[in-house]
Amino acid sequence: MRAKLGQHFLVDEGVLAYEAKCADARSNSVLEIGAGDGRLTARLLSCGAGHVTAVEFDPKLARQLRMRFAAYKRVRVHEGDFLEYDEKARFGRVVGNIPYYITSPILLKLSRMNFDKAVLCMQKEVAARMMAEPGSHEYGRLSVFSQLTYRAETLALVERAAFSPPPKVDSCIVSLVKTGFLLTGCEERAIGAIFSHKKKSVKNAVVDARWDLFGSRDRQSAGQIAQTLKYNGRKVFSLSPSEALGVARQLCAARMQDE
Ligand code: SAH
């Protein structure tokens, strides 16, 4: 078992069946992230999934998957890192008990892929951060990104005992549908930069994040830009996702003028 690859296998048959049912994969083409030994893959097939692309990073598990599903024309095993997976095809569903150490990069990557609905099992605290309200303790960069990009819903709580070996955290099954809005790379980085100072005012956060935002810009000119921003007296954590986007857009425009 390779703990560093987030290998916690779902052993609770009830949860596996429920997750496959939520995925409603019938006649869809499915992308599975981190297929492991194929236990969820098998459930998806028995629920009538039209085609499953099973992505798995661990060569040993990928070999196991190829053997297990050798007789199935409907299964394609892709051995490699999902974050490097370059696929232009459209998927009806994206499903997976995802490796938790790369949840945010997976959510970012999925925002740039073409799919109708994702059903993912993720760490409970991360699901809470995705759905957190402005002003709450969990609210941050991930909430802003997720709420602009996805309509997310928690479908079920999954306790750590459902996995072997059990992880140190509980999990949630979450469904995601894209809103159709896509942040630019600059907007995404600008939101990240100001939310790393989320307890400060927008003005002070911009001054503190000036290196990430503007490269070598000095304190004074960062302060001048900060003065021109909407909501500059507000605390960063109080900005709604669309207000945060407004600030990010102004910051990206300021940076372009600078270049
Ligand atoms: N689907 C299985 C396993 C889930 S554990 C189940 O439901 O029980 C998470 C899986 O993701 C592991 O098999 C792990 O090897 C795989 N994994 C870890 N990092 C990955 C990456 N970057 N890309 C693809 N798969 C990865």
Side-chain angles (χ1 to χ4, degrees), residues 118-178:
V119 174
L120 305 175
C121 186
M122 63 174 71
Q123 184 179 338
K124 190 176 101 183
E125 288 76 10
V126 179
R129 275 164 50 207
M130 287 179 74
M131 293 169 216
E133 303 271 340
S136 67
H137 178 66
E138 292 89 359
Y139 186 71
R141 168 194 196 158
L142 184 67
S143 327
V144 173
F145 162 77
S146 301
Q147 291 169 31
L148 290 170
T149 314
Y150 299 113
R151 281 201 310 279
E153 196 185 334
T154 300
L155 303 176
L157 177 70
V158 183
E159 288 181 5
R160 61 196 79 184
F163 295 89
S164 172
K168 291 198 179 75
V169 292
D170 292 323
S171 301
C172 268
I173 298 177
V174 170
S175 80
L176 303 175
V177 175
K178 290 211 277 185

Side-chain angles (χ1 to χ4, degrees), residues 193-195 197-198 200-210 213 236:
I194 58 170
F195 272 83
H197 305 277
K198 69 176 182 179
K200 303 213 162 151
S201 65
V202 169
K203 196 162 63 190
N204 290 342
V206 167
V207 173
D208 284 359
R210 62 190 179 281
L213 288 167
V236 172

Side-chain angles (χ1 to χ4, degrees), residues 5-10 16 32-37 39-40 55-58 61 80-83 97-99 101-102:
L5 284 181
Q7 292 178 351
H8 299 279
F9 296 94
L10 194 45
L16 276 168
E32 187 185 352
I33 305 171
D37 61 5
R39 56 189 73 205
L40 182 59
V55 182
E56 174 53 55
F57 195 35
D58 185 335
L61 289 172
D81 181 352
F82 172 69
L83 299 177
N97 296 325
I98 57 176
Y101 72 106
I102 47 169

